[in-house]
């Protein structure tokens, strides 16, 4: 039974190994306006391949090669962290300072090359790699939180899909690492260890397959926002907006319908009404209690409600494009958030 399990794990390892290589090749060669996110995730996958080769390959009895294979684990999370930054921000660039993320890898590579991999060295490495992993996981969550705040305050398009996808991917990575930690605690129980190893292998296969499907079916997922934006501090009392400004803004929204532009941003709206971006953002936040993203969507949803009610010949898809949305999922999410029902159910209730 154990031999069969090991054979199954080896076969899964080969599938995952070649799937990672295939996806890496796809990311590197795919035609895309933004190459850096693809390159960084391809690098992450290729480094992961080195670790995954342990599923079915026994490394040569050479301390440098063994040290490189083990130390390469310390490159995975830095590459993923850089990938998240590149995916979130269209003007993120790779700079020399980012090479500092590779210092732990270089340290252990040199250390293993000099001293070899002893049990003591391996224990130290396990502690460092675990601490590093969770450090970067926390850093990614903080980065995503900032990204979410920025796109809500400055953009009306569906960047929340990028946020949701990166958040889900990060959570899946966290779950996968939890399996690894539990597996290490059970390594003295050979049967439980093998079953958990198999479960972990299947989980990795599921995650990478899920990623491939998203990459293929959502080619514009990583549009990115401006990384130079800074979150607005709601308590900024230096900007004293008068209610008259809010009236002017609302009147402009109702008469000029700028929200019908699916690429409307805070910067673009501020320019249209002749107001500073930060002043406009604080005006919206302070007097409506909404982020720019929700503020714009409220007008879109109200327009959509009228179209659904008065123009039954229009399909839901036609309505969502008419009012400024460019994604069915984002329209349904925003509509249900605003009304409590789906567009289809709303139409049934009013027609």
């Amino acid at each position: 039974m154990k031999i069969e399990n090991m054979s199954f794990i080896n076969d899964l390892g080969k599938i995952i190994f070649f799937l990672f290589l295939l996806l890496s090749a796809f990311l590197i060669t795919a035609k895309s306006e933004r190459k850096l996110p693809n390159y960084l995730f391809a690098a992450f996958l290729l480094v992961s391949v080195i670790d995954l080769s342990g599923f079915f390959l026994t490394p040569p009895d050479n301390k440098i090669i063994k040290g490189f294979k083990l130390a390469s684990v310390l490159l995975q999370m830095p590459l993923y962290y850089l990938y998240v930054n590149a995916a979130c921000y269209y003007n993120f660039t790779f700079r020399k300072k980012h090479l500092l993320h590779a210092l732990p890898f270089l340290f252990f590579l040199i250390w293993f090359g000099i001293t070899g991999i002893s049990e003591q060295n391996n224990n130290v490495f396990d502690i460092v790699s675990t601490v590093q992993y969770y450090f970067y996981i926390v850093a990614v969550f903080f980065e995503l939180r900032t990204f979410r705040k920025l796109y809500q305050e400055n953009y009306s398009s569906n960047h929340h899909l990028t946020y949701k996808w990166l958040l889900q991917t990060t959570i899946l990575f966290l779950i996968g690492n939890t399996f690894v930690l539990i597996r290490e605690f059970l390594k003295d129980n050979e049967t439980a260890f093998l079953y958990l190893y198999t479960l972990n292998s299947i989980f990795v296969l599921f995650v990478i397959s899920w990623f491939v499907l998203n990459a293929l079916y959502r080619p514009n997922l990583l549009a990115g926002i401006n990384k130079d934006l800074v979150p607005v501090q709601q308590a900024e009392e230096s900007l004293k907006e008068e209610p008259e400004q809010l009236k002017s803004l609302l009147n402009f929204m109702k008469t000029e319908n700028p929200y019908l532009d699916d690429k409307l941003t805070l910067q673009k709206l501020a320019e249209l009404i002749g107001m500073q971006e930060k002043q406009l953002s604080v005006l919206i936040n302070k007097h409506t209690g909404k982020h720019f993203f929700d503020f714009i969507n409220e007008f879109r949803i109200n327009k959509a409600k009228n179209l659904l009610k008065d123009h039954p010949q229009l399909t839901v898809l036609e309505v969502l494009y008419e009012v400024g949305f460019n994604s069915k999922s984002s329209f349904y999410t925003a509509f249900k958030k605003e009304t409590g029902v789906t567009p289809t159910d709303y139409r049934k209730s009013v027609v």
Side-chain angles (χ1 to χ4, degrees):
M1 183 66 176
K2 292 176 183 177
I3 294 176
E4 289 179 358
N5 278 347
M6 285 305 299
S7 177
F8 180 64
I9 290 172
N10 287 340
D11 290 340
L12 270 179
K14 292 173 184 177
I15 294 172
I16 295 169
F17 181 90
F18 289 110
L19 195 56
F20 270 45
L21 288 178
L22 186 63
L23 180 57
S24 299
F26 165 75
L27 290 171
I28 292 170
T29 59
K31 292 181 179 179
S32 173
E33 292 182 6
R34 303 186 61 226
K35 294 286 189 182
L36 185 58
N38 286 358
Y39 290 160
L40 286 170
F41 202 84
F44 166 77
L45 292 176
L46 290 173
V47 169
S48 301
V49 158
I50 298 172
D51 185 38
L52 290 170
S53 64
F55 275 122
F56 60 94
L57 291 178
T58 302
D61 191 17
N62 181 297
K63 64 181 182 181
I64 295 177
I65 295 177
K66 284 185 175 180
F68 177 79
K69 180 182 180 301
L70 189 58
S72 66
V73 171
L74 295 173
L75 290 175
Q76 292 179 8
M77 289 311 294
L79 284 168
Y80 181 68
Y81 172 75
L82 293 174
Y83 161 73
V84 168
N85 275 270
C88 289
Y89 306 108
Y90 66 76
N91 53 346
F92 174 84
T93 55
F94 190 81
R95 300 179 180 177
K96 289 181 180 179
K97 67 178 183 179
H98 293 133
L99 294 174
L100 294 174
H101 290 284
L103 286 180
F105 160 75
L106 292 174
F107 172 79
F108 278 98
L109 180 62
I110 294 170
W111 191 24
F112 288 147
I114 295 172
T115 65
I117 304 177
S118 63
E119 183 177 350
Q120 183 179 2
N121 288 353
N122 200 42
N123 289 337
V124 172
F125 177 80
D126 284 344
I127 294 171
V128 171
S129 61
T130 301
V131 171
Q132 188 222 40
Y133 183 90
Y134 286 101
F135 170 82
Y136 277 103
I137 283 289
V138 171
V140 166
F141 280 130
F142 271 107
E143 201 63 56
L144 289 176
R145 187 179 70 171
T146 300
F147 170 66
R148 184 170 182 261
K149 186 171 178 61
L150 288 176
Y151 78 69
Q152 286 181 331
E153 289 178 347
N154 294 276
Y155 290 83
S156 65
S157 50
N158 56 338
H159 292 286
H160 74 280
L161 295 178
T162 301
Y163 167 80
K164 182 180 177 182
W165 186 58
L166 290 172
L167 181 65
Q168 289 173 340
T169 303
T170 305
I171 291 173
L172 286 173
F173 284 165
L174 189 57
I175 294 171
N177 187 257
T178 302
F179 283 144
V180 173
L181 290 178
I182 296 172
R183 190 183 71 198
E184 289 303 307
F185 281 115
L186 297 175
K187 60 185 177 182
D188 293 331
N189 185 332
E190 191 173 350
T191 302
F193 179 82
L194 284 175
Y195 277 120
L196 199 56
Y197 212 113
T198 304
L199 179 62
N200 193 40
S201 305
I202 295 172
F203 182 79
V204 171
L205 185 59
F206 161 76
V207 171
I208 197 60
S209 299
W210 177 79
F211 185 93
V212 170
L213 289 174
N214 274 281
L216 290 174
Y217 289 108
R218 296 181 180 181
N220 298 318
L221 191 62
L222 307 181
I225 66 173
N226 187 350
K227 75 178 183 66
D228 296 323
L229 295 170
V230 292
V232 172
Q233 299 299 321
Q234 298 233 12
E236 240 183 288
E237 295 298 330
S238 59
L239 295 171
K240 300 290 186 180
E241 305 82 9
E242 298 296 329
E244 201 60 41
Q245 289 180 298
L246 182 63
K247 291 179 183 177
S248 297
L249 172 62
L250 295 177
N251 184 58
F252 182 83
M253 296 297 294
K254 292 173 183 176
T255 57
E256 301 300 325
N257 302 328
Y259 55 86
L260 298 180
D261 177 4
D262 66 337
K263 293 182 174 60
L264 182 67
T265 64
L266 179 74
Q267 291 77 8
K268 193 181 292 186
L269 182 59
E271 190 176 317
L272 288 172
I273 63 174
M275 187 181 291
Q276 292 181 354
E277 295 168 18
K278 185 176 287 188
Q279 189 179 18
L280 176 59
S281 184
V282 174
L283 177 67
I284 293 171
N285 286 324
K286 183 177 178 181
H287 291 288
T288 70
K290 295 177 181 288
H291 289 297
F292 175 76
F293 179 80
D294 292 326
F295 175 72
I296 297 300
N297 279 348
E298 182 179 3
F299 285 93
R300 289 173 174 170
I301 295 304
N302 286 334
K303 179 74 172 178
K305 287 161 66 176
N306 290 333
L307 291 177
L308 289 169
K309 179 182 178 182
D310 301 332
H311 299 275
Q313 76 278 9
L314 293 177
T315 66
V316 172
L317 195 62
E318 288 172 325
V319 168
L320 75 91
Y321 286 126
E322 181 72 22
V323 300
F325 284 94
N326 55 17
S327 161
K328 185 176 179 180
S329 61
S330 60
F331 175 61
Y332 269 73
T333 300
F335 196 95
K336 193 164 185 179
K337 180 180 179 181
E338 193 71 30
T339 65
V341 295
T342 66
T344 303
D345 289 338
Y346 177 81
R347 169 171 271 173
K348 289 177 181 177
S349 69
V350 296
V351 175

